[in-house]
Amino acid sequence: MVQKSKKASLPPRIDSPVVPKRRGRPRAYQPDIALGKALDLFRKDGFAATSLDDLSAATGMNRPSLYGAFGDKRELYIKSYQRYRDDARAAMTNIFREEMPIRKRLERIYAVALGIYLSGESGPRGCFTVMTAASEAVADPGIRAMVLEGFSELDKAFAACFRLAKEKGELPESADPVVLAQLASAAIHTIAIRARAQVPRKELEAIVKGAIDVMVGR
């Protein structure tokens, strides 16, 4: 009986080098976009009600990737809050700095604020500071410091506007820029809360007009 000869295995081709496999999954996400998604979620649901699974689904990143890019949930929350503050500051900086009458300046500031507070695919989201960060500030010293810093920054910016208006004769000598600034900030917080409660824009604009009338006169 003749045995069939076994074919010898061919040696590997030396002109086809084996490409080493990469360990882990490549980063297919964009951190800036992912942070924006997390920000949207925290603004809508707050810190406690937003789970890591929710964040993973919103950003398209698994938990290890989230931890690697942003740290734990608290760190991601703080980075989201800082992003919100940076965006809001950028939207209003020029209005605070440009030369214009105090009434027009306030009208423009509140118009930008309403645009921020009424935005959201699933409904108005209000203000991150007022609606969620202020709650977390009760037990978290780090977040509390950020919230108080934000309040102080807004008060100072408004005070500078009223001080300038007083120097230009737009306000009476008896006007107190610091007190007016606190009232202006309070009006900002009021429309933020009411916007979140889905008060119609026309009603919010009426509140703004009334607040400006009180602060600078009719």
Side-chain angles (χ1 to χ4, degrees), residues 11-150:
R13 294 179 57 182
I14 60 174
D15 60 343
S16 300
V18 178
V19 179
K21 294 182 178 179
R22 294 182 179 179
R23 294 184 178 181
R25 296 176 61 185
R27 288 190 173 184
Y29 66 91
Q30 294 177 280
D32 191 61
I33 294 177
L35 185 59
K37 297 290 186 182
L39 166 58
D40 290 341
L41 200 57
F42 280 131
R43 281 187 69 187
K44 183 171 70 74
D45 297 334
F47 179 79
T50 300
S51 69
L52 285 171
D53 288 339
D54 294 332
L55 291 166
S56 180
T59 61
M61 300 166 62
N62 57 30
R63 289 193 182 192
S65 295
L66 280 172
Y67 289 134
F70 303 110
D72 61 19
K73 179 181 168 182
R74 178 181 177 275
E75 289 180 278
L76 179 53
Y77 180 86
I78 289 176
K79 289 174 181 176
S80 298
Y81 182 33
Q82 187 62 57
R83 163 75 174 273
Y84 170 84
R85 290 177 56 181
D86 291 343
D87 290 347
R89 186 185 297 111
M92 293 190 179
T93 295
N94 288 338
I95 305 175
F96 277 106
R97 290 179 178 175
E98 290 175 4
E99 185 74 19
M100 67 184 79
I102 185 63
R103 176 176 286 276
K104 182 179 179 181
R105 190 190 305 278
L106 292 174
E107 289 172 349
R108 288 185 60 187
I109 290 170
Y110 286 113
V112 170
L114 282 176
I116 294 172
Y117 302 156
L118 292 171
S119 66
E121 295 180 1
S122 58
R125 296 173 295 178
C127 173
F128 198 124
T129 298
V130 176
M131 304 311 304
T132 173
S135 298
E136 298 307 317
V138 175
D140 191 311
I143 296 175
R144 185 186 315 132
M146 292 181 70
V147 170
L148 293 176
E149 180 186 45

